[in-house]
Amino acid sequence: MKLKIESRELKRLAAVVKPAVMRSGPLASIVNQVLIRADGAEITMAGTDTNIQIIARGKAEADQFAAVLNMDRLMTACAAAEVLEFTGENDVVKVKAGRGRMTLATSPIDHFPLQDPQRNLVRVDVQNLAERLRSVVFSASRNDIRHYLNGVHLEADTKSGTVHFVATDGFRLATVSDHAEGLSQSVACIIPTAVVNQLISMQPSLLMVSDRELVAGGDGYELLSRLIDGRYPDWRRLIPRECKYRSAVDRGELLRLLGIAAGFVQSKNPAAAIKLDTEFQISSRNDNAETFESGVPASGNQRQFSMNVDFLRQGLEWVSDESVVLQWDTTETAAAIAINQGKWWYVAMPLRA
C-alpha cells in the first residue's frame, strides 16, 4: 500500500473537501478526518460531516492505497516537502517528507460514513447556476426555528420547463426563475444555506436533486448533501400581481443614502421612516438618540412607510439599471415594497417604526 503525491496536489484536494470535514462532534472516526483512496495515477479524497459530503479527485502515483487520516497532520506533512511518499503498515501510515519521517495514526475505513447517491435524482440544467443562487440566498433565514426557511427553495416544473429559486426569512423574499433543459420530472426541495454558499463557491456544472438529497459535480469533485425536510411556504402569493403604484429613484444615490442611514438606526429595530413624493425622504434615529434626515429626487406615487434599511439596500444591490422602481399594489400601510428586474423579484415588508 503505497502513495506518492506532490504536496501542492494534496493541499488542493484538502481545500476542496475542507467545507465538509467535521471539526467537532461525537463521531471520533470522522472528526477532522479524510478518506484517501488511490491506485495507479488516480487519487480521491473524501470529507463528510454526515450532512454534506465532498469527494475531490486528483493525480498521484499509487499502489492500492486507502487510509483515513487526520487533515491537520496531512497539512503538516505538506509543509515539510514538495513531494510526499506514504506507505501503509498495519494501523499506521508512514510518511517520507524530504529528510523528515512521520508516522500517522489511522482510523478504520469501514467506520467512515461514505454515502452513495440516491437513484431517483432529477437533473436540473440551469445556466449561471451560481449567479442565480447568489441573487436570492441573502434573503434566507439564519438559524430560524422554522427550519424550512433556513435555505433556498428549488422548484422545477416539467410543463413550463422552468426552475424557480426562492429564499425568504418571513420579512423579505427574493426569487429568480430560469429555463431548465430536459427536465425528466417535476421536483421541489429546500437546499440548506450552507450548501447553497458552497455551490456558489464551487460553481458546479452538474446539479441533481430529489426532495431529500442533492448531488452536484464539477471538474474533479462531487458534492452530496442532505436537504431540509419540510413544506415551503406558498411564495407566489407574496409576489404582487399588479403593481398600480410606483416611485422611480436613482439607484446610486439611493444606495449612498441608505448606507449613511444604516448608521443611524436602532439595534433592535433597524427601521427608518421613508416618505415618497417628489423626493425619497428618509429619517432615522439610533440608540444614542443621534438622528439622520436626507433625501434624493424621486418621481411617481406618494407613500409613507418604515423599513429595515439593510433589507432595502441588499435588494437594490441586485439591480443593474441606473434608475430603480419601487412598486406596491395597494395603498395600505402594510403593503409590501417590490423591486423587479427581468425574472428576478425582491419583496420586502414594511416594519413598525
Side-chain angles (χ1 to χ4, degrees):
M1 192 170 79
K2 297 180 180 180
L3 168 65
K4 184 177 181 180
I5 186 171
E6 293 184 358
S7 295
R8 61 181 181 180
E9 179 70 349
L10 192 61
K11 288 191 288 186
R12 183 189 69 81
L13 296 174
V16 174
V17 305
K18 183 178 180 181
V21 175
M22 181 178 285
R23 308 305 296 183
S24 62
L27 298 177
S29 60
I30 62 172
V31 171
N32 209 29
Q33 305 288 307
V34 292
L35 170 61
I36 296 177
R37 295 183 185 273
D39 195 21
E42 295 183 350
I43 179 174
T44 63
M45 179 184 291
T48 182
D49 62 4
T50 71
N51 288 315
I52 179 174
Q53 169 184 297
I54 300 177
I55 300 175
R57 295 177 175 82
K59 297 180 179 180
E61 299 176 21
D63 180 16
Q64 297 182 342
F65 183 89
V68 176
L69 298 170
N70 183 285
M71 177 177 278
D72 292 339
R73 298 291 179 267
L74 290 174
M75 294 303 97
T76 299
C78 287
E82 294 183 356
V83 177
L84 303 176
E85 296 182 30
F86 296 78
T87 57
E89 296 181 6
N90 299 323
D91 295 331
V92 298
V93 168
K94 295 181 179 180
V95 185
K96 180 181 177 182
R99 296 182 178 180
R101 301 292 186 273
M102 302 178 186
T103 301
L104 306 181
T106 66
S107 298
I109 293 178
D110 56 359
H111 290 180
F112 196 88
L114 207 59
Q115 303 177 58
D116 293 323
Q118 295 179 357
R119 295 183 179 180
N120 59 336
L121 297 171
V122 178
R123 180 163 180 164
V124 180
D125 287 324
V126 178
Q127 293 185 351
N128 302 317
L129 173 64
E131 189 70 7
R132 298 290 183 263
L133 292 171
R134 188 183 290 112
S135 72
V136 301
V137 68
F138 67 91
S139 292
S141 285
R142 304 290 188 273
N143 301 318
D144 199 304
I145 58 173
R146 299 166 295 180
H147 62 282
Y148 49 83
L149 296 183
N150 297 321
V152 171
H153 177 60
L154 180 155
E155 184 178 311
D157 178 48
T158 54
K159 292 183 179 180
S160 62
T162 302
V163 59
H164 303 275
F165 299 98
V166 189
T168 182
D169 59 7
F171 299 98
R172 38 74 180 276
L173 176 146
T175 179
V176 65
S177 60
D178 204 343
H179 179 68
E181 294 285 350
L183 283 171
S184 61
Q185 65 183 70
S186 298
V187 64
C189 62
I190 307 172
I191 309 171
T193 300
V195 177
V196 171
N197 290 330
Q198 193 59 40
L199 293 175
I200 292 171
S201 175
M202 301 178 85
Q203 300 187 8
S205 56
L206 171 69
L207 178 67
M208 297 189 296
V209 297
S210 67
D211 59 343
R212 295 188 177 183
E213 188 175 278
L214 173 148
V215 172
D219 185 15
Y221 73 88
E222 178 184 279
L223 179 150
L224 185 151
S225 174
R226 294 179 179 177
L227 301 179
I228 296 174
D229 185 18
R231 184 175 180 179
Y232 206 72
D234 182 7
W235 57 273
R236 285 180 174 82
R237 66 182 180 85
L238 301 177
I239 305 297
R241 294 183 178 180
E242 183 180 0
C243 292
K244 301 179 181 179
Y245 308 96
R246 302 166 182 260
S247 180
V249 190
D250 182 273
R251 174 184 174 273
E253 285 296 306
L254 185 52
L255 278 172
R256 180 187 62 81
L257 191 68
L258 293 172
I260 299 173
F264 291 86
V265 294
Q266 298 177 18
S267 56
K268 293 185 178 180
N269 185 19
I274 296 172
K275 181 179 180 181
L276 295 174
D277 200 339
T278 56
E279 277 193 331
F280 181 104
Q281 301 175 13
I282 188 169
S283 60
S284 56
R285 179 187 180 94
N286 65 18
D287 296 327
N288 297 321
E290 298 171 322
T291 61
F292 171 74
E293 294 183 7
S294 188
V296 294
S299 61
N301 300 106
Q302 298 179 351
R303 173 84 189 269
Q304 293 187 48
F305 58 97
S306 294
M307 180 161 288
N308 185 309
V309 172
D310 284 335
F311 284 3
L312 188 54
R313 183 171 58 174
Q314 289 170 0
L316 289 173
E317 288 174 349
W318 282 97
V319 178
S320 58
D321 297 335
E322 293 183 1
S323 178
V324 61
V325 178
L326 306 178
Q327 310 175 52
W328 59 100
D329 57 0
T330 74
T331 57
E332 297 179 5
T333 57
I337 294 293
I339 303 172
N340 173 232
Q341 180 171 274
K343 297 180 179 180
W344 178 84
W345 277 92
Y346 181 67
V347 180
M349 300 299 296
L351 301 176
R352 294 181 180 179

